[in-house]
Amino acid sequence: LITAQPLTENLILDEELSALRAITVTKKATFSDLCKMVLIHRNELEKFGTDEERCARLAELKIYDTASVGHIHLKPATKGAVVKAVLNLYNLEKTLLFRLTNWDWYAMQNAEVLSLIDKGSNSWDNLSGEELVTIMDIAMQRAQEQSSWMQPKNPYKEFGFETYPEMEQKTKPL
């Protein structure tokens, strides 16, 4: 049975896709691009009409202090700022020094260990929109992996059974 999605859902999806396309082709990502990407990942982009409101939301959520940035449309996003934001957004594993200081430099070291970025990058390096999207996607993947850690797994599931007695009963020779 196929059902039509409400028109508003399609409009929201279009807004997110348009923003994502625009960010991907940008040669130099800005802080407003970072704010959009974070809110796309949180499914909150449509809740905020302006980039200023979107960046204020990041500060409110303590993902990144955008109040100190200044001109979000003009200031290029740095690798340090991006990895700091994704570490906070996805609550990925954080080193002790990053937890204590919350500095971009320690966020970079943390991100290198998690393979979010290449080793040897500088926290003040600018990045393209494509690099921003890639880092966000890798971070989301790491967060999904992290959420599955230490989860109980059914060892009989791969054989098509729920329990050992069920497996034994159905595979027992006659």
Side-chain angles (χ1 to χ4, degrees):
L1 179 66
I2 298 175
T3 59
Q5 289 181 324
L7 184 59
T8 54
E9 285 184 30
N10 290 333
L11 292 175
I12 291 168
L13 183 59
D14 284 346
E15 183 181 351
E16 288 179 358
L17 285 175
S18 313
L20 189 58
R21 283 188 203 113
I23 291 167
T24 303
V25 298
T26 302
K27 292 191 186 310
K28 223 179 234 186
T30 63
F31 274 91
S32 64
D33 296 332
L34 172 61
C35 296
K36 286 177 193 167
M37 283 301 301
V38 168
L39 292 180
I40 286 172
H41 278 243
R42 289 183 51 84
N43 294 320
E44 292 184 12
L45 182 68
E46 71 282 352
K47 293 179 184 176
F48 304 95
T50 66
D51 289 338
E52 288 77 13
E53 291 172 348
R54 292 174 180 140
C55 286
R57 177 69 174 151
L58 263 65
E60 177 186 324
L61 295 169
K62 296 184 182 356
I63 292 173
Y64 193 86
D65 180 19
T66 53
S68 64
V69 172
H71 302 287
I72 58 170
H73 297 289
L74 301 175
K75 187 161 184 184
T78 61
K79 281 188 180 180
V82 169
V83 297
K84 182 177 179 179
V86 297
L87 289 171
N88 290 327
L89 169 65
Y90 286 113
N91 199 23
L92 295 172
E93 282 186 288
K94 296 175 186 151
T95 60
L96 178 62
L97 288 172
F98 177 61
R99 286 179 189 271
L100 292 173
T101 64
N102 205 33
W103 290 352
D104 293 2
W105 192 80
Y106 290 119
M108 290 290 291
Q109 289 183 330
N110 205 140
E112 286 177 359
V113 170
L114 293 172
S115 300
L116 300 180
I117 57 171
D118 294 331
K119 292 188 183 325
S121 297
N122 294 310
S123 62
W124 59 84
D125 288 344
N126 295 333
L127 66 167
S128 68
E130 185 178 5
E131 290 173 309
L132 169 61
V133 171
T134 301
I135 291 170
M136 296 289 294
D137 288 346
I138 293 170
M140 182 173 64
Q141 182 181 8
R142 294 291 181 273
Q144 289 169 344
E145 291 169 1
Q146 183 176 320
S147 69
S148 67
W149 292 346
M150 304 303 289
Q151 295 293 322
K153 292 187 179 172
N154 183 348
Y156 310 109
K157 193 79 165 177
E158 66 182 274
F159 301 110
F161 305 104
E162 291 298 317
T163 64
Y164 179 76
E166 178 189 358
M167 184 177 82
E168 186 177 38
Q169 179 185 23
K170 291 184 178 176
T171 58
K172 193 174 188 181
L174 298 174

